[in-house]
Amino acid sequence: MSDSPVAIVTGGAQGIGAAICIELLKKGYRVCVADIQELKAEEFARDQQKMYGEGNVTAIRCDVSKESDYSTFLPCPEMPAYVASKHGIVALTRSFGIPFHYDKDEIVFAALCPFIVDTELLKTENKTLDPAMDLSQRIVRMSPEYTAKGVLKILEDKINGSSLAVLPDGYHYIEFQDIRKYLMHQK
């Protein structure tokens, strides 16, 4: 059995998730590509296996809207379900980031919270929104690769329960991290 750390990347088959998978593989992680698009995930995993080895990349189907598959911080009236899901991820990360869970499982939980990223999803999903909300027309967009480097920061800092905002001007932890860091060092 390998001593390499393992990462499960939800939405890992394309865009930001795929870029995160590649950055992790470059750093020696074994990666599980978890995506609702199972065939895309399997294809992406096969492509990465050619470079990083078959035992270092695997794919599974995962729909993060269903708790059984895995058991933006500003309000946006045009996309309430999307915003609610992002708030839910931050709360879930903070909940699993308490010392009780780490002491039991030794898993560090952290959330990556990117600003507008230039992906295919951005281009296709915005067609149904109010034209004033079309994020694909914004001038400031980040690359998936820049966004993926935020994961490396999370892994280096190891602040359990943290949420890292990835913004065009850099990487910034969202307020709660100081409390979490304090709690993790109070053993």
Side-chain angles (χ1 to χ4, degrees):
M1 184 157 188
S2 173
D3 288 336
S4 299
V6 176
I8 301 170
V9 181
T10 57
Q14 63 185 355
I16 300 167
I20 291 169
C21 289
I22 291 168
E23 290 297 324
L24 292 168
L25 288 163
K26 287 179 187 176
K27 293 288 188 181
Y29 279 74
R30 290 181 293 147
V31 174
C32 177
V33 181
D35 204 293
I36 193 169
Q37 298 179 63
E38 187 173 12
L39 295 177
K40 249 186 191 174
E42 289 172 354
E43 180 183 341
F44 177 75
R46 278 193 302 275
D47 289 345
Q48 299 314 308
Q49 287 170 350
K50 293 173 189 171
M51 182 172 283
Y52 299 102
E54 203 171 298
N56 292 321
V57 189
T58 188
I60 61 166
R61 185 183 189 289
C62 178
D63 180 351
V64 296
S65 70
K66 295 179 181 173
E67 185 177 0
S68 62
D69 276 13
Y70 63 88
S71 287
T72 7
F73 301 101
L74 299 176
C76 182
E78 291 82 3
M79 300 184 292
Y82 179 81
V83 172
S85 71
K86 298 306 172 189
H87 281 280
I89 291 296
V90 170
L92 181 68
T93 299
R94 290 178 178 171
S95 295
F96 276 122
I98 64 171
F100 168 80
H101 290 289
Y102 183 80
D103 293 345
K104 184 174 74 136
D105 302 322
E106 296 186 9
I107 297 172
V108 174
F109 286 85
L112 186 73
C113 307
F115 185 63
I116 300 167
V117 181
D118 193 16
T119 64
E120 286 301 312
L121 183 62
L122 176 69
K123 295 169 188 157
T124 59
E125 291 299 314
N126 279 290
K127 292 177 181 173
T128 61
L129 296 174
D130 177 345
M133 287 301 298
D134 186 353
L135 302 178
S136 67
Q137 301 305 311
R138 299 276 176 99
I139 295 171
V140 179
R141 287 176 279 179
M142 303 178 309
S143 71
E145 295 77 16
Y146 172 80
T147 305
K149 292 200 187 300
V151 170
L152 299 179
K153 178 165 180 50
I154 287 171
L155 294 171
E156 290 169 6
D157 296 344
K158 294 181 180 163
I159 304 171
N160 204 3
S162 64
S163 298
L164 183 70
V166 179
L167 304 172
D169 72 343
Y171 308 99
H172 311 276
Y173 283 102
I174 299 167
E175 84 271 1
F176 199 66
Q177 83 284 354
D178 292 332
I179 297 169
R180 184 67 60 226
K181 190 186 288 186
Y182 174 79
L183 290 173
M184 288 307 295
H185 294 322
Q186 299 300 311
K187 289 189 171 191

